[in-house]
Amino acid sequence: MEVFPLLLVLCFWWSRTWDSASADSIIHIGAIFDESAKKDDEVFRTAVGDLNQNEEILQTEKITFSVTFVDGNNPFQAVQEACELMNQGILALVSSIGCTSAGSLQSLADAMHIPHLFIQRSTAGTPRSGCGLTRSNRNDDYTLSVRPPVYLNDVILRVVTEYAWQKLIIFYDSEYDIRGIQEFLDKVSQQGMDVALQKVENNINKMITTLFDTMRIEELNRYRDTLRRAILVMNPATAKSFITEVVETNLVAFDCHWIIINEEISDVDVQELVRRSIGRLTIIRQTFPVPQNISQRCFRGNHRISSTLCDPKDPFAQNMEISNLYIYDTVLLLANAFHKKLEDRKWHSMASLSCIRKNSKPWQGGRSMLETIKKGGVSGLTGELEFGENGGNPNVHFEILGTNYGEELGRGVRKLGCWTPVTGLNGSLTDKKLENNMRGVVLRVATVLEEPFVMVSENVLGKPKKYQGFSIDVLDALSNYLGFNYEIYVAPDHKYGSPQEDGTWNGLVGELVFKRADIGISALTITPDRENVVDFTTRYMDYSVGVLLRRAEKTVDMFACLAPFDLSLWACIAGTVLLVGLLVYLLNWLNPPRLQMGSMTSTTLYNSMWFVYGSFVQQGGEVPYTTLATRMMMGAWWLFALIVISSYTANLAAFLTITRIESSIQSLQDLSKQTDIPYGTVLDSAVYEHVRMKGMNPFERDSMYSQMWRMINRSNGSENNVLESQAGIQKVKFGNYAFVWDAAVLEYVAINDPDCSFYTIGNTVADRGYGIALQHGSPYRDVFSQRILELQQNGDMDILKHKWWPKSGQCDLYSSVDTKQKGGALDIKSFAGVFCILAAGIVLSCFIAMLETWWNKRKGPRVPSKEFQVLIQ
């Protein structure tokens, strides 16, 4: 660790003996600075100037002040300078230096019995680590610690416990000794917290670039998740550069929460850190109580503080490091102690000390001077400067500042609490914005258009697009309750999201993974793969897979009257009529009845056929057959005709009054077993992946998925699948196709189709659900889930559902044809065939009548037969 020493040797050179010391004595103060701290010369000049003007303290004493600079990385050089000043007769040693040189100066002071006031300093404003100076209970310990001990371990543990963090990463710069928070790491490890460490190099841009070049997408996503909770242990300049780089490279999002801990962070640094950061920021720094009375701010006890230093608006006062404030107060403390010694006339002069001579003896008055310094105290720029029994300054006060979640720049910083070793944490660190109050938070929402979940509503030309739908209603309900605002946009590729070959995600999920959106909402289903990279709220609607098919068109059957019998049955009946008529004629020809020739009931073939037909259609007629064989055959024929006519009458009535539709596809199993209707889904969608995983799983018991996968995967999925759901719906409407998709979406399409040309089938088991996706580890997940459960419990969610899926729609969802009837009455279409048969009979009769007329005219006038003449006579 780079040593940043500042050696102040307070040397008193007496020009004459003790008796005349009060008259014209001169106090000479020499200071040794590190080369990098030349600006601190002003601090001592200001302190000495205040002392010279404060007659109540020094009265007529005169102080001279000189400064030299050395290499702070060389402890030997610091000790050598101290030895040279000891030769001039120093009475106290004040060092503002790093830990490496502090141990050497402590040994030198203990050997020479010189009071040593140690002001620990860190490099370039980096947080301090404990020096671990050797302490003993003996009287040979002459070192006093002006700055209080390092309490970073206690403060960080208390704050992290208050925030209930379970996973975090600690970033520290190259100048920080990570052993300084070893106690904190040990305690959180015992509590089961997951803590990672990463050193921040000087070239931060190169470090970030290396992360993107060396990490795979899965590792980068896990790294982004780790960055949500981080502690920065670094100087303000490095912290500002680091925050700028990670924000510009999109490594963090608005749900991150970072803690910056450093004793030396000015107000200007705080404002700059807040301006560059996003998400939530907590800053822990050391602070000093300021008197509330303005008139007393520049007066501490019996001395006046420089008007420049006591003015909080003065740039010099704002940029002063804490080490310099303690140096200022240390000069005041020593001046008080030496003045008290002079007043009490208990001064112990000393001969020049030598670090080289072996026989050099320590200062005899060192213990008395040390006790005087320990018993003294001063109220200065750092508050009360005093020492405890262990030789350390117990007075320390940490201030905890913070912002809330929000992306607006220039957001205010408020004081969350304070911490002291005595009282512990005083204040609440709970972020009230996530306690059902997210006022001022603006969320960026990514979506995909999908009816009825998200749709573009009509808007006036030139104005931003407005969105509506079931998911938008749910989002508005959350927004109205929690108070946040949102900006919505459609995912660039119009996809929900699936993993790519290189491990990245596209679509809506990809917008969340790459931190371009805070939440994603649409008809987005909760799947294991998606939940590995993003977080989901509890489901706000159940999900199941459905199938959209085109409703069968109802055709007009003019010969519905013939439908009760099959064509083959009609042919058999017609053949039976001809056969029975022929048999009746043959039986009567073999055994002719006794009838007069020319009688109307003569047993000609024509009359036999006509008689058999008349009896079949139940028209009756005179029975001219008297033989037993003929009567037996006719009795069997009449029984046959009775059964056939009765069956026809009953079947015709049922057929014409009740429309029975039996679709061949009533379930997903039916769809998978048939090949007449091709079917598919959206390529690379959740449904596609679900069928693929089930279909390719050799342990899957249901063969339905393997059959479906063979159909969907034809030509590597390009034959039967579509790129968007709307394309699948249009393909069903204008072609022979079945579309497998979300049942809720398909039901909405079927209900609102103006032609009622669709019907749906689906799975009644809801194995998944629709949820709101958030960035991995988002702080909004729990509060969103809680509000969704409240909407479901009080019935508001059902009201939103009925708005888009009404119980009574204009179309029947589950019938393959339109089954609406008008009171059970038969229409003209059902009997069109009967009228056609009657019309054909009339036309045929007229045609035969014309033929008979033509034939009779050709034969001439008809001469009556002799029998007819006799009968007339």
Side-chain angles (χ1 to χ4, degrees):
M1 183 182 71
E2 181 186 351
V3 178
F4 182 36
L6 175 102
L7 180 64
L8 174 63
V9 180
L10 184 61
C11 303
F12 288 82
W13 176 78
W14 303 95
S15 60
R16 59 185 182 88
T17 61
W18 164 248
D19 293 337
S20 61
S22 60
D24 57 355
S25 62
I26 299 177
I27 301 176
H28 178 72
I29 300 178
I32 300 178
F33 285 86
D34 185 272
E35 287 286 350
S36 62
K38 290 185 178 180
K39 64 178 182 179
D40 294 332
D41 183 22
E42 182 68 23
V43 178
F44 298 100
R45 297 189 185 279
T46 304
V48 174
D50 286 348
L51 292 175
N52 289 332
Q53 298 175 22
N54 197 326
E55 296 181 356
E56 293 182 2
I57 297 179
L58 297 182
Q59 296 180 357
T60 60
E61 306 299 331
K62 297 180 180 180
I63 297 178
T64 61
F65 180 63
S66 62
V67 177
T68 59
F69 297 94
V70 298
D71 183 4
N73 294 323
N74 192 342
F76 176 78
Q77 184 181 6
V79 174
Q80 185 178 13
E81 293 291 338
C83 289
E84 292 180 359
L85 292 175
M86 284 183 183
N87 294 333
Q88 301 177 16
I90 64 172
L91 300 181
L93 176 67
V94 180
S95 66
S96 180
I97 200 170
C99 294
T100 303
S101 299
S104 300
L105 293 180
Q106 181 187 18
S107 301
L108 177 62
D110 292 344
M112 296 298 178
H113 291 188
I114 301 297
H116 175 208
L117 278 68
F118 170 55
I119 304 171
Q120 184 186 353
R121 194 183 194 105
S122 56
T123 304
T126 301
R128 292 187 302 149
S129 296
C131 279
L133 298 180
T134 303
R135 295 289 180 183
S136 65
N137 296 325
R138 299 177 299 176
N139 292 329
D140 57 353
D141 191 351
Y142 283 81
T143 298
L144 302 177
S145 296
V146 176
R147 292 193 70 169
V150 180
Y151 286 100
L152 295 187
N153 290 283
D154 300 324
V155 179
I156 296 176
L157 181 62
R158 185 66 182 89
V159 172
V160 170
T161 303
E162 185 76 8
Y163 284 136
W165 286 8
Q166 293 299 321
K167 182 179 181 181
L168 58 99
I169 184 172
I170 298 177
F171 292 99
Y172 62 97
D173 59 24
S174 57
E175 303 297 336
Y176 182 71
D177 186 358
I178 194 61
R179 292 174 297 179
I181 56 172
Q182 185 61 48
E183 182 181 351
F184 166 76
L185 297 176
D186 294 339
K187 290 183 178 180
V188 296
S189 177
Q190 295 173 2
Q191 297 178 10
M193 295 185 188
D194 184 5
V195 180
L197 296 172
Q198 183 169 348
K199 186 176 182 180
V200 177
E201 305 294 341
N202 293 330
N203 192 340
I204 299 176
N205 182 270
K206 182 180 179 181
M207 185 189 77
I208 300 298
T209 305
T210 304
L211 291 177
F212 283 93
D213 293 340
T214 57
M215 285 187 175
R216 296 179 299 178
I217 185 64
E218 298 88 355
E219 298 173 336
L220 198 59
N221 290 335
R222 288 193 294 267
Y223 186 71
R224 284 194 177 101
D225 180 39
T226 305
L227 291 181
R228 289 184 55 254
R229 301 289 180 262
I231 297 177
L232 306 186
V233 187
M234 56 184 67
N235 65 72
T238 305
K240 286 183 282 188
S241 300
F242 181 73
I243 290 176
T244 301
E245 288 292 336
V246 295
V247 170
E248 291 180 353
T249 54
N250 216 14
L251 277 176
V252 293
F254 298 116
D255 62 349
C256 70
H257 184 181
W258 284 12
I259 297 174
I260 301 177
I261 183 165
N262 192 339
E263 296 164 307
E264 305 197 34
I265 300 180
S266 65
D267 293 341
V268 177
D269 291 331
V270 170
Q271 294 297 332
E272 187 66 17
L273 288 168
V274 171
R275 189 187 68 82
R276 300 190 183 195
S277 66
I278 60 177
R280 188 181 181 191
L281 193 66
T282 299
I283 300 174
I284 304 174
R285 66 176 181 177
Q286 186 178 354
T287 187
F288 307 102
V290 178
Q292 297 298 325
N293 189 350
I294 299 178
S295 63
Q296 297 297 325
R297 288 184 180 179
C298 292
F299 293 88
R300 303 293 175 86
N302 59 349
H303 65 272
R304 179 184 61 81
I305 297 177
S306 169
S307 59
T308 301
L309 297 181
C310 73
D311 185 4
K313 296 182 180 181
D314 188 89
F316 179 76
Q318 292 182 352
N319 295 327
M320 282 188 66
E321 296 182 0
I322 292 180
S323 299
N324 298 336
L325 300 179
Y326 278 110
I327 292 173
Y328 185 94
D329 289 349
T330 302
V331 174
L332 296 179
L333 177 65
L334 288 176
N336 282 331
F338 294 153
H339 180 63
K340 184 176 182 180
K341 273 289 188 180
L342 292 174
E343 286 183 338
D344 294 342
R345 292 185 177 273
K346 296 180 179 180
W347 189 260
H348 296 278
S349 61
M350 66 181 232
S352 298
L353 300 178
S354 176
C355 302
I356 301 176
R357 293 197 305 264
K358 293 183 180 181
N359 57 352
S360 178
K361 295 181 180 181
W363 182 31
Q364 297 299 320
R367 173 56 54 182
S368 175
M369 182 62 68
L370 180 66
E371 293 299 326
T372 303
I373 296 174
K374 288 178 65 175
K375 292 179 181 179
V378 65
S379 178
L381 297 178
T382 61
E384 293 296 329
L385 176 57
E386 57 187 1
F387 299 100
E389 293 296 331
N390 62 348
N393 179 11
N395 299 319
V396 66
H397 187 98
F398 282 94
E399 183 182 43
I400 303 175
L401 307 174
T403 64
N404 288 317
Y405 289 108
E407 63 175 298
E408 64 271 11
L409 298 178
R411 50 208 166 108
V413 181
R414 61 188 179 95
K415 184 176 180 179
L416 304 179
C418 60
W419 185 94
T420 65
V422 179
T423 62
L425 178 64
N426 182 16
S428 176
L429 306 184
T430 304
D431 185 7
K432 297 182 179 180
K433 281 190 175 297
L434 295 184
E435 295 178 352
N436 297 338
N437 183 10
M438 296 172 60
R439 304 291 176 185
V441 177
V442 180
L443 301 179
R444 189 162 173 80
V445 181
T447 188
V448 174
L449 298 180
E450 186 75 80
E451 296 181 350
F453 291 87
V454 179
M455 300 175 289
V456 178
S457 61
E458 295 182 1
N459 62 302
V460 181
L461 184 63
K463 292 186 177 181
K465 291 183 178 180
K466 293 184 178 180
Y467 296 88
Q468 64 178 1
F470 175 63
S471 295
I472 301 300
D473 290 345
V474 174
L475 184 61
D476 288 338
L478 296 175
S479 175
N480 294 333
Y481 182 78
L482 299 175
F484 65 88
N485 297 320
Y486 63 88
E487 299 174 353
I488 191 169
Y489 71 98
V490 179
D493 56 1
H494 303 277
K495 294 182 179 181
Y496 288 101
S498 59
Q500 305 301 296
E501 294 180 356
D502 58 355
T504 61
W505 281 75
N506 62 358
L508 186 150
V509 177
E511 295 298 300
L512 297 173
V513 170
F514 290 104
K515 310 297 183 182
R516 290 188 288 265
D518 298 305
I519 63 176
I521 192 168
S522 186
L524 186 65
T525 54
I526 304 173
T527 64
D529 290 340
R530 291 171 178 170
E531 201 149 20
N532 285 334
V533 295
V534 297
D535 284 347
F536 280 96
T537 63
T538 185
R539 63 174 67 181
Y540 60 86
M541 184 176 179
D542 291 333
Y543 163 86
S544 62
V545 177
V547 183
L548 183 69
L549 298 103
R550 186 177 59 181
R551 196 186 301 274
E553 297 180 359
K554 189 173 181 181
T555 58
V556 178
D557 188 4
M558 297 179 59
F559 297 94
C561 57
L562 303 178
F565 288 166
D566 188 71
L567 180 62
S568 59
L569 181 59
W570 282 117
C572 292
I573 293 174
T576 303
V577 172
L578 296 177
L579 178 62
V580 172
L582 179 62
L583 292 176
V584 169
Y585 171 75
L586 292 176
L587 291 176
N588 283 281
W589 180 74
L590 295 174
N591 189 11
R594 297 178 181 179
L595 297 173
Q596 297 180 358
M597 296 299 297
S599 175
M600 295 298 294
T601 59
S602 60
T603 57
T604 62
L605 180 60
Y606 174 79
N607 289 338
S608 298
M609 294 290 184
W610 184 254
F611 175 75
V612 171
Y613 174 74
S615 62
F616 178 76
V617 296
Q618 299 180 348
Q619 296 304 312
E622 184 180 355
V623 182
Y625 310 113
T626 58
T627 63
L628 181 60
T630 304
R631 291 179 181 272
M632 288 294 295
M633 187 183 65
M634 291 303 301
W637 169 250
W638 288 339
L639 180 61
F640 169 79
L642 175 64
I643 296 173
V644 171
I645 294 301
S646 299
S647 300
Y648 173 81
T649 303
N651 206 17
L652 179 63
F655 181 82
L656 294 178
T657 56
I658 300 177
T659 303
R660 296 179 301 172
I661 304 300
E662 295 181 359
S663 175
S664 59
I665 302 177
Q666 295 295 325
S667 64
L668 288 175
Q669 286 80 3
D670 296 337
L671 180 69
S672 64
K673 293 177 182 179
Q674 61 84 41
T675 57
D676 296 334
I677 300 177
Y679 53 89
T681 184
V682 176
L683 194 64
D684 295 331
S685 63
V687 177
Y688 180 87
E689 291 297 324
H690 178 68
V691 175
R692 183 181 68 84
M693 296 297 294
K694 290 278 191 178
M696 298 181 66
N697 186 3
F699 301 101
E700 178 64 38
R701 296 182 179 181
D702 194 350
S703 61
M704 175 189 72
Y705 290 102
S706 60
Q707 295 170 350
M708 292 181 65
W709 176 243
R710 282 194 293 270
M711 173 66 75
I712 291 177
N713 196 40
R714 285 184 179 179
S715 301
N716 293 326
S718 61
E719 180 177 345
N720 293 327
N721 296 304
V722 294
L723 298 179
E724 294 182 356
S725 59
Q726 288 297 324
I729 296 172
Q730 294 300 317
K731 195 172 181 179
V732 173
K733 189 167 188 177
F734 299 104
N736 185 34
Y737 183 71
F739 183 47
V740 182
W741 195 235
D742 296 359
V745 177
L746 301 182
E747 288 177 1
Y748 176 82
V749 172
I751 290 175
N752 294 277
D753 184 60
D755 301 327
C756 292
S757 58
F758 298 120
Y759 77 100
T760 62
I761 59 174
N763 185 9
T764 57
V765 179
D767 55 347
R768 284 180 286 173
Y770 300 98
I772 300 176
L774 305 99
Q775 293 180 8
H776 201 19
S778 173
Y780 311 124
R781 179 184 61 179
D782 294 338
V783 69
F784 277 18
S785 296
Q786 180 182 358
R787 180 53 183 163
I788 289 174
L789 292 176
E790 293 175 359
L791 292 174
Q792 293 173 340
Q793 185 175 1
N794 58 28
D796 291 341
M797 193 68 73
D798 293 331
I799 297 175
L800 297 179
K801 290 180 182 177
H802 294 160
K803 175 182 177 181
W804 302 99
W805 291 276
K807 291 184 177 180
S808 57
Q810 62 178 356
C811 302
D812 187 1
L813 291 179
Y814 308 107
S815 177
S816 58
V817 297
D818 188 4
T819 59
K820 293 182 180 179
Q821 303 291 340
K822 296 180 180 179
L826 301 178
D827 54 11
I828 187 63
K829 297 178 181 179
S830 301
F831 281 88
V834 179
F835 287 99
C836 291
I837 293 174
L838 178 61
I842 294 174
V843 172
L844 183 61
S845 300
C846 294
F847 179 72
I848 294 175
M850 288 188 295
L851 289 178
E852 288 180 344
T853 302
W854 173 76
W855 179 258
N856 293 333
K857 288 183 179 181
R858 183 177 179 183
K859 291 180 63 177
R862 189 173 180 180
V863 179
S865 61
K866 293 182 180 181
E867 294 82 356
F868 184 73
Q869 293 177 359
V870 172
L871 182 59
I872 293 176
Q873 293 177 355

